[in-house]
Amino acid sequence: LGIIVGCISSQGLLRWGLVADNNNAQTPSASVVLGSDPQSSLIDGKSFLDSLPFEEVIPLSWDPDQPSPFGGELLNLSSNSNAISTIDIKEMKMLSASLLGSKDVPSPSPGPHLLYHAHASSFSLLYDSSRSSYSYLSEYSLDYFLLNSGGFDAQINQAYCAVATVAAVLNSLKYAKRFRDGGDLSEWSFDLPVDPRYDPYPYATQENILTGDCVWNNVIQHGDGSTSGEHGGNVDGIFKPPYGLSMEQSAKLLKCHTSEEWSVKVHEVDPSQLNLREMRYDLKASLIDPDARIMINYDRKGLGQVGGGHFSPLVAYHAPTDSFLVMDVAKYKYPPVWVGADTLFTAMATVDKCGTYDYPKGQERLDDKSSDGTSNKYINPISHEEYLRSLELLNCQQRMRGYIILKKKS
């Protein structure tokens, strides 16, 4: 009887990716191919569609009361197949108990664990469970409240995840009240611009943090929408190959809006240079510091989610489950999610095919005016070959994904 029960339990956990399947193991960087359309054929192990930064228009049907399925099974969004099966109450209780570190049900190991922050039990992870009651906020959860109260907006389009993350980070620093005021830069600590819609109140939006000489010359060419001036027009380099912003560009965007009092450091999660213990230490040390913020760059597929490379703030840590809370800026798609440290490490230890390039001027080389009358096929590539040629023209170089820490210098 014990053997039969054990087999049934293991199959249930295996279906949800909470125990390892040695017969179907995958490497951490393995890609999940979505759909069977010929246009999704692989390029160096990565499909053309997966190379784009845009979020999927139709999200995977997920149940916020359940952990996300994870594993090597291919998902086809073009059909109405049961990509996510229903799970009975008994199994749900077992999963919830293991995620919350229950003494009665041991946490499964190895294997990723996720808990979406739309389930009632997930909110208890923000509090200190070592005390007699859950009335004390965990020392690792301050950023969750600062970002929510400061101004955490959904990304305004499906390519602005890095921009939305930077804006949320800047708005969360408002408590310091040392942003630029009236052009006087003598005492400013960080730059919270004034959007005309909210004038005279400073507030970082995903439009106003992309304007100005610093961004134009060091990050990306983005017009201010005016009909005159050096940076006028509606040019938006984020919508040109390689699309979006890299970690390197995101760090420079932060630097454009902070003074010398702040340090901005990029950490690539290269397993040959950085291990899980070191990553965990870095993130915990920053979360406990009220003058530090974290933004992460990861591959969604590493979390069992739909999509590719993505940015979001990291806002909390729960020690008993060794989980970090990712505050997804694609709020229309996924709620915040608690992610196991090992799963997060794996999702960040992935390759960005164009982690750096000749930005911001390099995109000017994509303006191709051919003798046959066609033009701009490398600015708006519609085939695999054109996209790869765009990356070559930009002099794209691979980089590992990872995390960025903004911290006030001591």
Side-chain angles (χ1 to χ4, degrees):
L1 180 60
I3 294 175
I4 294 174
V5 172
C7 290
I8 294 174
S9 299
S10 65
Q11 287 302 310
L13 291 174
L14 179 60
R15 174 160 58 109
W16 289 90
L18 295 178
V19 295
D21 181 2
N22 294 327
N23 296 322
N24 192 29
Q26 290 192 356
T27 58
S29 60
S31 295
V32 178
V33 180
L34 303 175
S36 56
D37 190 324
Q39 291 295 318
S40 298
S41 58
L42 298 181
I43 304 175
D44 296 331
K46 189 174 184 181
S47 75
F48 171 65
L49 296 179
D50 284 344
S51 299
L52 304 180
F54 310 114
E55 302 296 337
E56 304 294 336
V57 175
I58 304 176
L60 185 65
S61 298
W62 53 272
D63 184 340
D65 285 349
Q66 298 172 5
S68 172
F70 182 93
E73 197 170 319
L74 301 185
L75 303 178
N76 190 339
L77 300 182
S78 61
S79 66
N80 292 322
S81 60
N82 294 324
I84 298 183
S85 303
T86 57
I87 183 171
D88 59 38
I89 299 300
K90 183 178 180 181
E91 192 174 8
M92 184 61 234
K93 288 181 178 179
M94 180 172 62
L95 290 170
S96 296
S98 63
L99 287 171
L100 296 174
S102 170
K103 296 180 180 178
D104 299 326
V105 181
S107 298
S109 179
H113 63 268
L114 300 177
L115 183 64
Y116 283 106
H117 206 55
H119 189 277
S121 59
S122 66
F123 288 88
S124 65
L125 275 65
L126 293 168
Y127 294 86
D128 189 349
S129 60
S130 66
R131 297 177 181 259
S132 57
S133 67
Y134 281 90
S135 59
Y136 294 91
L137 179 67
S138 168
E139 59 187 348
Y140 297 111
S141 300
L142 179 62
D143 285 8
Y144 170 80
F145 294 95
L146 290 175
L147 265 85
N148 271 305
S149 62
F152 178 68
D153 300 323
Q155 57 186 91
I156 58 176
N157 59 54
Q158 298 186 59
Y160 270 37
C161 56
V163 181
T165 302
V166 170
V169 165
L170 291 172
N171 284 325
S172 74
L173 298 171
K174 285 193 296 186
Y175 74 94
K177 295 186 181 301
R178 294 194 60 202
F179 42 82
R180 184 174 62 183
D181 183 18
D184 181 9
L185 304 182
S186 59
E187 297 295 331
W188 77 288
S189 176
F190 61 95
D191 181 14
L192 212 56
V194 176
D195 189 286
R197 292 169 293 187
Y198 307 132
D199 189 21
Y201 307 105
Y203 189 83
T205 69
Q206 294 163 55
E207 296 99 338
N208 63 23
I209 65 170
L210 288 176
T211 60
D213 292 341
C214 181
V215 176
W216 184 276
N217 295 324
N218 298 284
V219 183
I220 199 78
Q221 291 186 348
H222 186 280
D224 57 16
S226 66
T227 57
S228 61
E230 184 180 356
H231 310 321
N234 296 311
V235 60
D236 190 346
I238 294 178
F239 281 99
K240 299 176 183 179
Y243 303 111
L245 297 179
S246 65
M247 276 213 303
E248 194 174 279
Q249 289 171 291
S250 301
K252 290 186 177 181
L253 182 57
L254 278 170
K255 288 181 178 178
C256 282
H257 296 283
T258 52
S259 72
E260 293 299 321
E261 292 184 19
W262 299 81
S263 68
V264 180
K265 189 172 182 180
V266 174
H267 300 261
E268 293 185 21
V269 178
D270 182 346
S272 67
Q273 304 292 328
L274 182 77
N275 60 38
L276 174 61
R277 178 182 57 81
E278 293 168 329
M279 180 209 74
R280 184 189 293 111
Y281 176 85
D282 278 349
L283 300 182
K284 289 174 63 178
S286 297
L287 288 171
I288 207 172
D289 184 351
D291 290 322
R293 300 290 185 273
I294 307 166
M295 59 183 293
I296 61 173
N297 181 210
Y298 59 100
D299 191 327
R300 279 195 182 278
K301 289 186 286 294
L303 306 187
Q305 295 180 338
V306 176
H310 188 58
F311 282 92
S312 282
L314 194 75
V315 296
Y317 174 72
H318 184 251
T321 57
D322 192 24
S323 302
F324 289 95
L325 181 58
V326 180
M327 197 94 147
D328 203 323
V329 291
K331 298 166 68 173
Y332 51 83
K333 182 177 179 181
Y334 288 109
V337 60
W338 288 97
V339 182
D342 54 348
T343 303
L344 183 63
F345 183 88
T346 299
M348 291 194 292
T350 51
V351 174
D352 183 345
K353 294 290 185 182
C354 194
T356 188
Y357 66 98
D358 297 338
Y359 64 85
K361 304 295 184 183
Q363 289 178 321
E364 295 174 0
R365 296 199 292 267
L366 300 178
D367 189 3
D368 172 63
K369 300 187 183 303
S370 305
S371 57
D372 59 3
T374 61
S375 64
N376 298 334
K377 64 181 179 180
Y378 298 132
I379 290 180
N380 299 296
I382 58 175
S383 70
H384 304 156
E385 293 75 17
E386 290 174 0
Y387 178 69
L388 289 177
R389 179 56 180 159
S390 297
L391 300 188
E392 291 177 2
L393 291 171
L394 292 171
N395 191 28
C396 282
Q397 304 295 320
Q398 292 186 2
R399 291 288 187 273
M400 300 298 291
R401 295 187 175 93
Y403 52 96
I404 301 170
I405 296 178
L406 171 68
K407 183 178 180 181
K408 198 168 186 178
K409 298 176 182 177
S410 55

